[in-house]
């Protein structure tokens, strides 16, 4: 059984928020895969209005008081998002990153996402440092599949925003203990958004600090 490590930092867009991602990694010298999960996305079924999600799916329901249902992370439009993580002890050899996104109105059975860009920094990216790994130009797409969730506004039950998992293959980068930031963008559909991490009953928690890089190169 693989342990999950969760950093709980929940919020909305106008307040700094976390963007959900998963790192798959190995302890140096060991072969068992682990996961670092940056937050929560599913709010379960039924929604706050008592409506059950379609069979096999759950809702990811934006909480009342939040300000956005998703954040533009569209590679083709020049947007990206970033959030931080900390390695407390022991080196991690990261070999995969999974992020989440939806394309409003897409109804196909196969994921529309075919592109994911990854950059990792050892400092806040809003100072425009050089990444220690990756860039904004290399497509590291590995696979994409449904996350079995629909992103909805409070009390809504629309199925127009199916959430997909997008996996990036990483060539076994070794990260020593310390603080890091990961930046990503995804592409394929003309318009796509990354949903912020969501927990029922709250819109923000201490430590929220995720950022978006706009198509003018400004971090906010």
């Amino acid at each position: 059984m693989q342990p999950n490590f969760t950093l709980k930092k929940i919020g909305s867009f106008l307040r700094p928020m976390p963007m959900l991602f998963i790192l798959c990694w190995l302890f140096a010298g060991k072969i068992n895969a682990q996961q670092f999960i940056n937050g929560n996305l599913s709010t379960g079924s039924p929604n706050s209005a008592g409506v059950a999600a379609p069979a096999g799916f759950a809702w990811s329901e934006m909480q009342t008081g939040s300000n956005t249902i998703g954040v533009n992370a569209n590679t083709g439009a020049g947007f990206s998002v970033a959030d931080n993580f900390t390695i407390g002890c022991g080196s991690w050899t990261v070999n995969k990153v999974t992020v989440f996104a939806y394309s409003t109105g897409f109804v196909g059975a196969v994921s529309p996402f075919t592109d994911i860009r990854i950059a990792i920094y050892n400092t806040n990216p809003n100072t425009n440092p050089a990444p220690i790994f990756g860039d904004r130009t290399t497509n590291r797409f590995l696979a994409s599949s449904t996350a079995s969730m629909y992103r909805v506004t409070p009390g809504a039950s629309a199925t127009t925003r199916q959430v997909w998992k997008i996996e990036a293959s990483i060539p076994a980068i070794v990260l020593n203990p310390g603080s890091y930031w990961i930046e990503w963008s995804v592409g394929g559909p003309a318009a796509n958004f990354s949903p912020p991490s969501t927990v029922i009953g709250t819109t923000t928690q201490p430590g929220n600090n995720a950022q978006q890089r706009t198509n003018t190169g400004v971090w906010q």
Side-chain angles (χ1 to χ4, degrees):
M1 182 174 179
Q2 295 179 344
N4 291 336
F5 298 88
T6 303
L7 178 61
K8 295 181 178 178
K9 304 180 298 176
I10 312 303
S12 62
F13 184 54
L14 296 184
R15 305 180 188 94
M17 64 185 168
M19 303 303 302
L20 184 62
F21 64 88
I22 298 173
L23 298 178
C24 290
W25 51 278
L26 307 173
F27 271 124
K30 296 185 178 181
I31 61 172
N32 56 310
Q34 312 282 322
Q35 288 185 337
F36 173 90
I37 303 176
N38 191 48
N40 183 71
L41 194 55
S42 171
T43 54
S45 180
N47 66 6
S48 60
V51 179
F57 282 77
W59 302 118
S60 174
E61 185 177 3
M62 184 175 76
Q63 297 300 288
T64 299
S66 185
N67 299 294
T68 188
I69 191 169
V71 180
N72 194 337
N74 193 340
T75 295
F79 289 85
S80 59
V81 292
D83 204 358
N84 67 330
F85 64 98
T86 300
I87 300 174
C89 61
S91 297
W92 294 6
T93 301
V94 179
N95 58 11
K96 187 169 73 174
V97 176
T98 303
V99 304
F100 297 80
Y102 63 85
S103 179
T104 304
F106 179 78
V107 295
V110 177
S111 173
F113 293 97
T114 58
D115 195 336
I116 177 170
R117 318 289 174 90
I118 297 289
I120 298 176
Y121 304 86
N122 58 6
T123 188
N124 194 318
N126 67 13
T127 60
N128 295 311
I132 62 172
F133 168 80
D135 51 53
R136 300 187 184 110
T137 59
T138 303
N139 184 1
R140 302 185 186 278
F141 181 82
L142 175 65
S144 183
S145 59
T146 183
S148 299
M149 286 180 276
Y150 290 106
R151 185 71 174 165
V152 293
T153 54
S157 54
T159 57
T160 56
R161 298 182 180 90
Q162 183 174 174
V163 180
W164 302 87
K165 298 184 292 185
I166 304 101
E167 300 176 12
S169 179
I170 305 298
I173 177 177
V174 176
L175 301 178
N176 293 318
S179 297
Y180 298 89
W181 284 80
I182 181 169
E183 176 189 3
W184 72 89
S185 61
V186 292
N192 61 75
F193 303 88
S194 282
S197 184
T198 305
V199 167
I200 294 174
T202 182
T203 61
T204 188
Q205 288 186 349
N208 294 351
N209 59 0
Q211 302 177 53
Q212 180 197 49
R213 184 179 185 272
T214 71
N215 58 0
T216 61
V218 176
W219 286 95
Q220 58 186 15

